[in-house]
Amino acid sequence: MTSPSPFVGANHRSVKQGNRATIFRAIRALGPIARVNLARQSRLNPGTVTNIVDELLDAGLVTETGQGPSRVGRRPVYLEVVPSARYAIGIDIARNAITGALIDLAGRPVERLEGFSGSWLSGDRVVAVVTDLIARLLATPAADGGAKVVGIGVGSPGPLSISSGRILAPPYYGSGEELPLQQEIESRFNLPALVDNNSNTSTLAELWFGAGQGVEDFVLLTLGTGVGSGLVLDGELYRGGHDLAGELGHMSINADGPRCACGNFGCLEMYVSVPRVLAAVRGALAIGEPSALRAVAPREEDLTLAMVFAAVRDGDPLASRVFADVVRRLAAGLVNIVNAFDPELILLGRDLASAGDLLLDPVREEVRRRVFPIRRDAVRIEVAALTDAPTIGAATLALREFFHAPLTR
């Protein structure tokens, strides 16, 4: 990736656009907030702040929401972003479903649609389902025929070229051809489009609208069909030099472990992804270990993660043994994350994290036992806040661009 030149200046117009974006983002992050506090936060003079606020008010992007107390002079008027002023479309391509949502400026889904669920589609069908979802979302009343939509974001499993918006020949689409999603979307809908790894989009959602708000350094680990992750360092999503940072599901926690599809051995994903957890339970049942799960799931395909959680809560020996091993393996991965990145917060998301305290309590205890004593209370381990994080985060790719260039659409 080519780095931007460090010698680029700013003309008057770009300075004005930059100041407008700064004020707009400050209102989003700090609102309700008065003009005087905006001037203090932005270090812009009050006249400049007033002019920018007037532009945003005229455009319907912000609104005055009431007055605050004042010891002397006029009472300050508070400002907030109008969530329904604009929307972005978020599309999430998961391993077993493609979903879409229309997301407002506050990160709230106002329309949700499912385009597909089941086994993998071919590359052409993926493009067809994605574009159909977008067309249906643009036709909803809130989108106003697309007039109120600022852009489209797509989250997808990798490998990806984020800069060009292409999915790079993923084997699960049954094709060796790249999928030029960004180009297809922009040409069909005349809207800006962005594509990113769906672990990154989920992380972006937590950073902007969820449990990561105000946290400078955190890691999101998504524990589902696979194990994905996203990194926020110094308050920004970190992608690395080749857009590949954050493949923490493929850190090796057992050099002599089973070979992973990525080519490594003993990857974290081989022990704590949902298919592996269910496979461990089924394997134990198959060799005759006693368990109440045999009665509730007489066939292998009947077994679900929720059944395993319930059995652990009931003290079932087989389920408890398998779950204890999951906790131990996951904690080993989290200790590696703590030692490598020293984050303030680790968020656990998706299916396995739905166990809540059943998972969190023993994982926290095991991590505390393994890390340096100075770090035992330095990192929080929590469940991610947003159930719709993949679609919200995909839309946030477009919302983030809009908050950096308001009044351009």
Side-chain angles (χ1 to χ4, degrees):
M1 180 181 295
T2 303
S3 299
S5 168
F7 309 113
V8 175
N11 57 42
H12 176 73
R13 181 178 179 182
S14 60
V15 168
K16 183 178 180 181
Q17 290 173 342
N19 288 341
R20 185 191 295 133
T22 295
I23 295 299
F24 192 36
R25 293 198 304 274
I27 296 172
R28 184 197 77 82
L30 305 174
I33 185 171
R35 291 167 176 81
V36 62
N37 293 326
L38 281 172
R40 188 176 299 121
Q41 288 284 339
S42 65
R43 300 182 183 177
L44 296 172
N45 69 62
T48 298
V49 170
T50 295
N51 290 338
I52 291 172
V53 167
D54 287 345
E55 290 178 334
L56 296 173
L57 286 167
D58 289 343
L61 295 177
V62 303
T63 186
E64 296 177 336
T65 59
Q67 293 181 319
S70 177
R71 293 182 180 178
V72 294
R74 297 174 58 186
R75 297 171 66 189
V77 177
Y78 290 133
L79 300 159
E80 284 185 313
V81 168
V82 179
S84 60
R86 298 287 190 279
Y87 299 95
I89 288 174
I91 304 292
D92 180 56
I93 303 172
R95 298 191 185 190
N96 57 359
I98 300 177
T99 54
L102 191 69
I103 307 295
D104 70 15
L105 294 183
R108 296 182 301 227
V110 297
E111 297 281 354
R112 293 185 187 88
L113 296 173
E114 185 172 279
F116 162 80
S117 63
S119 57
W120 282 113
L121 294 171
S122 67
D124 288 345
R125 285 292 298 144
V126 168
V127 174
V129 170
V130 167
T131 53
D132 176 67
L133 268 179
I134 293 169
R136 289 161 60 194
L137 288 165
L138 287 172
T140 58
D144 192 20
K148 297 182 75 172
V149 175
V150 300
I152 299 161
V154 179
S156 170
L160 303 168
S161 169
I162 294 171
S163 60
S164 66
R166 291 174 295 136
I167 302 177
L168 301 176
Y172 35 76
Y173 290 149
S175 170
E177 298 180 1
E178 298 176 354
L179 300 183
L181 263 186
Q182 180 179 325
Q183 179 183 339
E184 289 280 349
I185 292 169
E186 290 183 339
S187 65
R188 293 192 191 199
F189 300 105
N190 195 31
L191 284 167
L194 295 156
V195 178
D196 206 335
N197 184 285
N198 48 16
S199 293
N200 283 342
T201 58
S202 293
T203 305
L204 192 62
E206 294 291 342
L207 174 63
W208 272 60
F209 302 112
Q213 291 179 91
V215 181
E216 288 293 303
D217 301 284
F218 75 88
V219 176
L220 172 68
L221 209 61
T222 56
L223 308 167
T225 306
V227 175
S229 57
L231 307 176
V232 171
L233 302 178
D234 294 329
E236 296 290 340
L237 192 64
Y238 179 73
R239 294 187 175 89
H242 303 90
D243 293 335
L244 297 174
E247 289 290 348
L248 300 179
H250 295 289
M251 74 173 92
S252 179
I253 58 169
N254 179 7
D256 298 316
R259 189 178 184 93
C260 180
C262 74
N264 196 7
F265 291 87
C267 292
L268 181 64
E269 183 172 298
M270 300 296 289
Y271 299 97
V272 303
S273 63
V274 173
R276 294 290 172 171
V277 175
L278 294 179
V281 175
R282 288 169 181 146
L285 288 171
I287 62 174
E289 280 196 46
S291 172
L293 284 169
R294 187 171 281 104
V296 296
R299 300 177 303 170
E300 279 193 4
E301 59 268 28
D302 294 334
L303 185 69
T304 67
L305 196 62
M307 291 176 183
V308 176
F309 293 159
V312 175
R313 291 189 178 95
D314 290 341
D316 182 86
L318 186 158
S320 297
R321 178 184 62 76
V322 170
F323 197 72
D325 187 64
V326 170
V327 166
R328 186 168 64 89
R329 304 288 190 176
L330 178 57
L334 297 189
V335 169
N336 288 341
I337 291 171
V338 170
N339 288 336
F341 300 106
D342 189 24
E344 303 170 53
L345 173 68
I346 297 174
L347 294 174
L348 305 179
R350 296 219 177 183
D351 305 44
L352 196 65
S354 66
D357 289 341
L358 183 72
L359 178 71
L360 283 181
D361 289 345
V363 163
R364 287 168 177 157
E365 181 179 347
E366 185 72 7
V367 170
R368 280 179 57 84
R369 191 177 68 82
R370 294 185 182 208
V371 297
F372 289 124
I374 196 171
R375 285 181 168 155
R376 283 176 184 162
D377 299 312
V379 59
R380 292 181 290 124
I381 302 172
E382 305 287 350
V383 170
L386 301 173
T387 55
D388 289 318
T391 50
I392 293 172
T396 305
L397 294 170
L399 292 179
R400 183 175 56 175
E401 296 297 309
F402 180 66
F403 273 99
H404 280 81
L407 304 185
T408 59
R409 181 169 182 81

